[in-house]
């Protein structure tokens, strides 16, 4: 009777597969691990960004739609110091923390609460009509440049999008950024 050992082996295999499936099912519904967005920014991680430096970050942000070039004119431009929180935030919005664009049609990414240090260490300016912006006296470090180019499309539909680029500034340089 070779069928009994074969049946027992098959039953054992099915039991182990069922247990593995339950483990995967449990993992699929387990709460996600804490992310950098849910952790406060340690002050020591961004304190360097509050200092005055000898670098300048300047740039221009434009998008083409047919024969028309739209700019970030009148929109805010931000310079965000690098931190684990900033990297997680950029990845949540743009899909990575290096360079990206998010279409206006996707709507904004909502966050439960911005870390107060994230907000207080942002440097802000406004794009001029030509889409240019500048941040003087920037200390050495890694920063994220963000802005938006938006306009009303057909049927008052929001067109354009938000954009971001990571920059490393050092040594009293002028860093020029073109977005997107």
């Amino acid at each position: 009777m070779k069928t009994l050992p074969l049946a027992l082996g098959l039953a054992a295999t099915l039991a182990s597969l069922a247990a593995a499936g339950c483990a995967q099912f449990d993992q699929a519904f387990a709460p996600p691990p804490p992310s950098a967005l849910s952790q406060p920014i340690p002050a020591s991680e961004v304190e360097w960004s509050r200092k005055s430096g000898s670098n300048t970050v300047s740039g221009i942000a434009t998008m083409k739609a047919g024969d028309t070039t739209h700019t970030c004119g009148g929109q805010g431009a931000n310079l965000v110091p690098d931190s684990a929180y900033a990297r997680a935030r950029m990845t949540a919005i743009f899909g990575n923390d290096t360079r990206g664009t998010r279409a206006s049609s996707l709507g904004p990414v909502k966050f439960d609460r911005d870390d107060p240090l994230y907000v207080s260490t942002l440097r802000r300016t406004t794009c001029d009509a030509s889409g240019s912006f500048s941040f003087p006296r920037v200390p050495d470090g890694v920063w994220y440049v963000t802005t938006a180019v938006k306009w009303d499309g057909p049927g008052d539909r929001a067109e354009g999008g938000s954009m971001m680029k990571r920059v490393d500034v050092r040594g009293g340089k002028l860093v020029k950024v073109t977005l997107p």
Side-chain angles (χ1 to χ4, degrees):
M1 292 247 182
K2 293 186 179 190
T3 57
L4 183 58
L6 183 61
L8 290 174
L10 181 57
T13 301
L14 288 174
S16 76
L17 286 174
C22 288
Q24 287 176 344
F25 183 79
D26 288 345
Q27 287 173 355
F29 290 98
S35 76
L37 288 172
S38 64
Q39 305 297 316
I41 301 172
S44 61
E45 191 176 9
V46 292
E47 199 55 42
W48 61 271
S49 69
R50 294 184 184 276
K51 299 176 181 165
S52 183
S54 58
N55 301 291
T56 299
V57 176
S58 68
I60 188 166
T62 61
M63 290 180 118
K64 285 193 69 94
D67 294 334
T68 305
T69 299
H70 300 275
T71 74
C72 64
Q75 296 284 331
N78 302 302
L79 194 61
V80 181
D82 182 45
S83 67
Y85 181 92
R87 287 188 298 275
R89 187 180 175 95
M90 296 306 156
T91 300
I93 297 168
F94 300 104
N96 69 78
D97 68 354
T98 306
R99 183 181 192 119
T101 303
R102 180 176 175 84
S104 291
S105 61
L106 296 175
V109 175
K110 302 285 185 182
F111 297 95
D112 289 338
R113 179 186 65 83
D114 287 326
D115 187 294
L117 274 176
Y118 177 84
V119 175
S120 70
T121 57
L122 283 174
R123 293 181 183 218
R124 296 183 171 120
T125 193
T126 302
C127 296
D128 68 18
S130 68
S132 296
F133 54 87
S134 185
F135 298 94
R137 298 179 298 284
V138 177
D140 290 355
V142 175
W143 297 84
Y144 295 94
V145 180
T146 67
T147 191
V149 174
K150 297 180 180 181
W151 66 94
D152 290 333
D156 291 331
R157 194 178 82 202
E159 298 277 344
S162 300
M163 50 198 70
M164 170 274 299
K165 183 174 182 186
R166 180 182 169 141
V167 296
D168 190 351
V169 298
R170 305 209 182 270
K173 304 276 187 206
L174 167 63
V175 176
K176 293 185 178 184
V177 178
T178 301
L179 294 170

